[in-house]
Structure formats: C-alpha cells, structure tokens
Amino acid sequence: MNTYLQMNHIRKSFDGNEVLRDISLTVAEGQVVSIIGPSGSGKSTLLRCATMLETMDAGDLIYLGQYAARDEGGRSVYAPPAELRRIRKDFGLVFQNFNLFPHYSVRKNITEPQMLAGRSREEAEAKAEELLRKLGLSDKADQYPCQLSGGQQQRVSIARALALEPKILFFDEPTSALDPELTAEVLRVIRELAKQHMTMIIVTHEMQFARELSDYIIFMEHGLIQAEGTPAELFATDNQRVRDFIGRFQA
C-alpha cells in the first residue's frame, strides 16, 4: 500500500506558544484517519500545516514521496514554489465554514478552480455537472450559496474539492456549523467517499462517526498525540483521559 502523506516531527509555535510539539503521522492510500481531541489541542493547526496554509517551524512534510518541506537543522525548509504548486494538486481541503464565493453560482464555485488549474470551460462544466448529480445538487447549479442550507453549502464545498481530483481529502470539522439533520446529510457523503476508498484525514467531534468510518484515530491534546490506534483500540483504551473525552460525546 502506497504512503500518501508523511509528517515527521512537526513543530509549530505562535508568539512563543508551542501549538504542535513533535507530531508525526503517516497516512496510506485509501486510509481514513480521524483526528479527535478538545478545542485548542492543535488539531486544526496540524491540518493547516499539512495543507500548507501555515508554515511549519520544524519537521518534514511529504506527499507521495515528494518533499514539500524538509527538516534541515531543526527548521522546515520548503520546496521551490513551482514544486509546491504541483504538490498542492495532490490534496483538497473542506473547511468547516464552507468558504464558498458568495457572488458565484454553485456551478461557478466548482468550475472556476478547475479552469484556474488549466481545464477548459467544457471540461470544468462537465465535471461540475457530474459531481452535482452524485451529491444530489443538480437542481442547485444556478443558485447562490446564500440560497442553500448549510448542509447543501457543505456538499458544494466537497464537490469543489473533488473536482480537482485530489489524492487526499482533508476535512476540518466539516459538520461543526450544522444542526443534527444537516450533519447527517454531510456525513452520508463522506461515508460514500470512504466506500470509494478515498484517502481522507478528518478533524471531527463526531465520535460515533469516527468510530464507524475510520481505519485509524489520533487523539490530540496540548499539541501532542496522546493516544492513537484503530477505533477498536482507542474506544477500548485504558487511558482515562481518552475515555473521559469520548464519554462526554457519547453521553
């Protein structure tokens, strides 16, 4: 099985506060990895470092064997811009607050990134139509984000990420802005992607969802990986802190 993502000994500080402290993880092709933990544990910062929205202070970032950043003497040195642009095509990111362009229609939200990546308008529109059909949004193509429910907006943002055919899809708390009914419709989409063996890294507070869907779960706190393992291992752990955390969400 191919290794799609490696993060080795990642460190990141903000104003002298170390948010990530020597984090390492490996994600293989087709694997679903969930990252759980309390607010402020460093989960979203880890995702932002993985997707190069934040620069790491130290550590390696490797996609499909290609170094986006290499640790040299305790400092992350990033690859040249042209190489980073190529590596960025390997992944997509779905944000918790959708991040759709409000002045673009649903269709244009999906076609514009494809055209910026070099696809013709015809190719981009055909891909958009295909994805909207798969996600049950064909009738929303000419509407604007403000005309959609939160669940529909999040499905559009998933379609936008999928349109560029990434090898890895990152989700940063994809249901945190949604009520339970809308949460369920977004989780159904992610379940379908898992059945198609999409490689995914998901920061989530949905414990039962993480348990059912994940191949591997990481529990973070205070900028460290405090526990990790398969869902069976993590949900049966004797680590009291992990048990207390999971128990709060299952109550």
Side-chain angles (χ1 to χ4, degrees), residues 150-202:
Q152 290 166 341
Q153 288 186 63
Q154 191 60 292
R155 281 188 281 158
V156 172
S157 68
I158 292 171
R160 179 181 58 184
L162 288 171
L164 294 172
E165 299 177 355
K167 292 184 170 65
I168 305 175
L169 204 50
F170 291 91
F171 292 86
D172 186 7
E173 295 278 15
T175 61
S176 66
L178 305 177
D179 65 33
E181 186 175 355
L182 299 180
T183 290
E185 75 181 51
V186 172
L187 296 183
R188 277 197 298 273
V189 171
I190 299 174
R191 282 192 179 93
E192 283 302 311
L193 292 173
K195 288 179 185 174
Q196 296 163 27
H197 306 293
M198 183 77 202
T199 307
M200 294 184 282
I201 297 94
I202 307 169

Side-chain angles (χ1 to χ4, degrees), residues 7-130:
M7 300 182 79
N8 301 328
H9 306 293
I10 305 305
R11 292 185 179 275
K12 177 66 181 178
S13 296
F14 294 102
D15 300 322
N17 176 34
E18 196 170 28
V19 178
L20 298 178
R21 303 158 59 192
D22 196 19
I23 297 281
S24 295
L25 64 87
T26 300
V27 181
E29 178 182 2
Q31 198 172 29
V32 178
V33 176
S34 291
I35 303 174
I36 64 173
S39 297
S41 60
K43 306 184 303 295
S44 289
T45 300
L46 180 62
L47 225 60
R48 291 178 65 82
C49 286
T51 55
M52 293 185 268
L53 293 174
E54 297 285 355
T55 55
M56 306 177 307
D57 297 332
D60 301 317
L61 176 60
I62 309 164
Y63 279 95
L64 285 84
Q66 300 296 308
Y67 278 82
R70 189 186 298 266
D71 192 284
E72 296 184 6
R75 185 172 69 91
S76 293
V77 176
Y78 281 80
E83 197 168 332
L84 292 181
R85 281 194 297 274
R86 191 202 61 71
I87 291 172
R88 281 190 177 96
K89 295 177 181 178
D90 288 336
F91 62 81
L93 174 60
V94 177
F95 299 89
Q96 55 184 301
N97 292 318
F98 323 134
N99 280 30
L100 298 173
F101 292 109
H103 56 295
Y104 284 178
S105 68
V106 165
R107 179 185 284 107
K108 192 171 182 181
N109 262 286
I110 300 170
T111 57
E112 196 73 8
Q114 297 180 70
M115 290 162 64
L116 289 171
R119 281 188 184 157
S120 69
R121 180 177 298 278
E122 292 74 19
E123 289 175 314
E125 290 187 349
K127 190 69 177 177
E129 287 175 16
E130 173 196 339

Side-chain angles (χ1 to χ4, degrees), residues 210-227:
R211 183 176 192 171
E212 291 172 8
L213 193 75
S214 307
D215 299 299
Y216 202 76
I217 301 177
I218 290 168
F219 175 80
M220 288 184 64
E221 191 170 35
H222 307 308
L224 292 165
I225 293 176
Q226 303 282 6

Side-chain angles (χ1 to χ4, degrees), residues 226-242:
Q226 303 282 6
E228 58 186 310
T230 65
E233 291 167 342
L234 211 72
F235 278 76
T237 183
D238 56 5
N239 182 316
Q240 192 59 48
R241 176 66 187 105
V242 178

